[in-house]
Amino acid sequence: MSENLTGHLSPDDPGLSPITRAMLAVRSEVLQAWMDQVRNTVPQARELPRPILENTLPAYFDTLAALLTPGYTARVVNDLGAVASEHGGERARLTEYDATAVIHELQIFRDTLFSELARHDVVLEAGEQAILSAHIDTTIRESASAFTVVQAALREQFVASMAHDLRTPLSTAQMAAEMINHTSNDPSVRRFAEKIVASTQRIDGMTRELLDRIAFCKTGAVRLAIERVDMAALVREVAQSAEVAHPIELRIEQETIEGWWCRDAIRRALENLLNNAFKYGAAEEAVRLTVSTSSGRVQVMVHNQGDPIAPEDSESIFQLYRRAGSRGPGGGGGWGVGLPYVRRVAEAHGGSVLMSSSQEDGTVFVIDIPLDARPFNGAPTAA
C-alpha cells in the first residue's frame, strides 16, 4: 500500500474496493480540473510551474481514495497527516502563498473532487462522502498549521542571516569611531565618538544574543551542484554499493530517468535512507528501493519491514540530533543527522520527504522532487 505515497496506486489493484478503484481511474481528470480552477481563482498560483502547483496532490488523492477500502483506513490516516504537512511546508518555502491561499486551494480541491467524481459517474454513498469531507477538513487545518510553522522558521532564518550580516558594518563603524576618539584633539568630537562606540558595542551585544538564541544548532543551506543526472542509473549505483550490506529489491519505472539534480547530494540522501532501513528494518527482509515519475516529478521510495516509527516520533526524526526513541534494539546510535539531511536535500531541490510507518506495512520514506530542480536551487529549507 506504500504506492499511495507516490501517487501510483493502480485502479486495477484487486485488493482495493470498487469505489477506491473508480476514484483512481479519474485521478488525472480530478487533478487537472483542480489545477485549472486554482490557477483561475488563487492569484499566487497563476504563474507556478506545474510540478510545484501539483505538489504532493497525487499522493494525497491516492491516500484519500484508499480510505474507502475497508482495512486500509487506520493505515492511511497517518499518511494523510504527513502529506498534508508536507503540502503546507512546500507552499511556505516555494510560493508566495499566504495561509488564506493554502486554505482556499484545498477548499477548491474538495469541491472539485466531488464535482468531477459526479461528472464521471463515480457515485459516493453518503457515508463515503462524509468520510472524505471530514478528512479534507482535517487536511486543511494541518496544511495551514504546517504552513504557519514553516513560515515562522523561515522568518527566524531570515532574522538570523540579517543579524549576522549586520555585524560587519557595525564592526567597521565601531573601529572608525575608536580611531576618531584616539586621534582627535577636539573634546566634543571625542565625546561624540565615545557615544558611537558605546552604541555600536550595545548593538553588537544585542546581535550576538539574537544569534545565540535563534542560530544555536542551525546549519547552513545545502550547497547543490545541479547537473544533468540519470536518476535510474544513480539509484542502480547506490543499490549496487549498498546491497553488499543488506539485500535490496530494486524497482525502476523506466530504463532512463533524466533530470537536473545534484548528484552528490541525492546520492548521500539515498545512502542515508538505505542505512536507516538496514539499521532499523527486519534483518531477514530485503529493503525495497523504487523509482517512479509523475507530472514533472520523480519519486524515490525506500521501504523496509520491521518495528514501526511511533506516531509521536514522526516529526522529531527529521530534527537535528533527535532520534526516534523506540526504534530498534537499544534505540539506535549515531548523531541523528541522517534524516534531517535527507529532508534538507529534498527541500533544497524544491521537493519534500513523505513518511509512512505501520506494523502491517512497514516503514516508507519517499523523496519527491521536480524533474528539473534548477529553478529551485537554493530554495529555503525548514529542517
Side-chain angles (χ1 to χ4, degrees), residues 40-119:
N40 288 333
T41 57
V42 179
Q44 299 93 325
R46 286 173 188 161
E47 303 301 324
L48 286 183
R50 181 187 174 105
I52 299 303
L53 176 60
E54 188 175 72
N55 193 257
T56 56
L57 262 293
Y60 179 70
F61 181 92
D62 283 16
T63 307
L64 200 64
L67 283 172
L68 303 184
T69 293
Y72 283 122
T73 303
R75 306 183 196 181
V76 299
V77 168
N78 286 339
D79 294 357
L80 282 173
V83 176
S85 294
E86 289 299 327
H87 177 80
E90 275 204 34
R91 287 299 190 245
R93 293 183 296 101
L94 298 175
T95 72
E96 298 298 324
Y97 275 43
D98 53 24
T100 300
V102 174
I103 293 170
H104 189 192
E105 72 170 3
L106 291 174
Q107 290 173 330
I108 293 172
F109 176 81
R110 178 181 55 205
D111 296 341
T112 303
L113 172 66
F114 293 135
S115 64
E116 286 297 305
L117 291 180
R119 192 169 73 86

Side-chain angles (χ1 to χ4, degrees), residues 81-382:
V83 176
S85 294
E86 289 299 327
H87 177 80
E90 275 204 34
R91 287 299 190 245
R93 293 183 296 101
L94 298 175
T95 72
E96 298 298 324
Y97 275 43
D98 53 24
T100 300
V102 174
I103 293 170
H104 189 192
E105 72 170 3
L106 291 174
Q107 290 173 330
I108 293 172
F109 176 81
R110 178 181 55 205
D111 296 341
T112 303
L113 172 66
F114 293 135
S115 64
E116 286 297 305
L117 291 180
R119 192 169 73 86
H120 290 87
D121 298 321
V122 178
V123 180
L124 296 170
E125 296 179 359
E128 293 169 335
Q129 183 158 340
I131 289 172
L132 297 182
S133 292
H135 282 285
I136 293 173
D137 285 343
T138 300
T139 295
I140 293 173
R141 292 194 298 272
E142 293 181 348
S143 288
S145 176
F147 177 89
T148 302
V149 168
V150 171
Q151 263 208 337
L154 295 177
R155 284 196 297 269
E156 183 179 276
Q157 292 176 10
F158 171 76
V159 172
S161 176
M162 183 177 66
H164 181 272
D165 292 345
L166 276 173
R167 297 191 63 198
T168 297
L170 273 175
S171 178
T172 302
Q174 182 177 329
M175 286 190 295
E178 289 174 344
M179 289 281 293
I180 293 172
N181 187 31
H182 290 144
T183 58
S184 176
N185 294 321
D186 187 329
S188 297
V189 170
R190 293 181 65 181
R191 187 169 61 253
F192 287 127
E194 289 171 357
K195 288 184 178 181
I196 294 173
V197 171
S199 295
T200 54
Q201 287 176 337
R202 184 182 176 194
I203 296 172
D204 186 58
M206 294 167 62
T207 303
R208 287 175 181 272
E209 182 179 355
L210 181 62
L211 286 170
D212 287 342
R213 286 179 178 273
I214 66 177
F216 184 70
C217 287
K218 297 287 184 181
T219 59
V222 176
R223 297 183 181 276
L224 302 181
I226 300 291
E227 59 181 325
R228 192 162 186 83
V229 176
D230 180 353
M231 184 69 77
L234 176 59
V235 170
R236 290 190 191 98
E237 291 174 13
V238 173
Q240 186 176 9
S241 299
E243 65 183 359
V244 176
H246 193 97
I248 294 177
E249 181 183 327
L250 185 60
R251 301 178 185 176
I252 300 181
E253 181 185 76
Q254 301 164 209
E255 184 67 24
T256 299
I257 301 176
E258 291 193 337
W260 293 87
W261 307 290
C262 177
R263 173 185 289 275
D264 291 341
I266 294 295
R267 174 188 288 277
R268 183 177 167 192
L270 290 177
E271 290 172 345
N272 285 349
L273 285 182
L274 288 173
N275 289 335
N276 190 72
F278 299 163
K279 184 174 184 178
Y280 295 111
E284 68 279 5
E285 296 281 350
V287 169
R288 182 152 54 99
L289 178 57
T290 305
V291 188
S292 56
T293 60
S294 66
S295 302
R297 296 175 78 97
V298 63
Q299 298 85 30
V300 183
M301 180 176 70
V302 176
H303 170 269
N304 66 268
Q305 294 293 344
D307 293 336
I309 298 172
E312 61 269 21
D313 288 328
S314 61
E315 177 58 28
S316 66
I317 59 174
F318 289 108
Q319 303 304 314
L320 277 173
Y321 316 122
R322 297 281 299 280
R323 296 188 303 274
S326 59
R327 299 198 68 201
W335 287 101
V337 297
L339 292 178
Y341 178 80
V342 173
R343 172 179 274 186
R344 289 168 67 82
V345 167
E347 291 182 345
H349 280 84
S352 297
V353 177
L354 304 175
M355 188 276 290
S356 175
S357 188
S358 69
Q359 191 66 53
E360 298 86 355
D361 291 333
T363 298
V364 174
F365 288 92
V366 178
I367 296 175
D368 186 347
I369 56 178
L371 286 171
D372 187 353
R374 287 176 294 180
F376 319 109
N377 188 7
T381 65

Side-chain angles (χ1 to χ4, degrees), residues 16-23 68-69 122:
L16 300 174
S17 68
I19 187 62
T20 294
R21 295 200 302 271
M23 286 183 63
L68 303 184
T69 293
V122 178

Side-chain angles (χ1 to χ4, degrees), residues 8-36:
H8 284 82
L9 279 183
S10 172
D12 300 321
D13 186 346
L16 300 174
S17 68
I19 187 62
T20 294
R21 295 200 302 271
M23 286 183 63
L24 295 174
V26 297
R27 178 203 296 121
S28 298
E29 290 81 356
V30 172
L31 294 180
Q32 186 60 56
W34 171 75
M35 285 189 285
D36 291 343

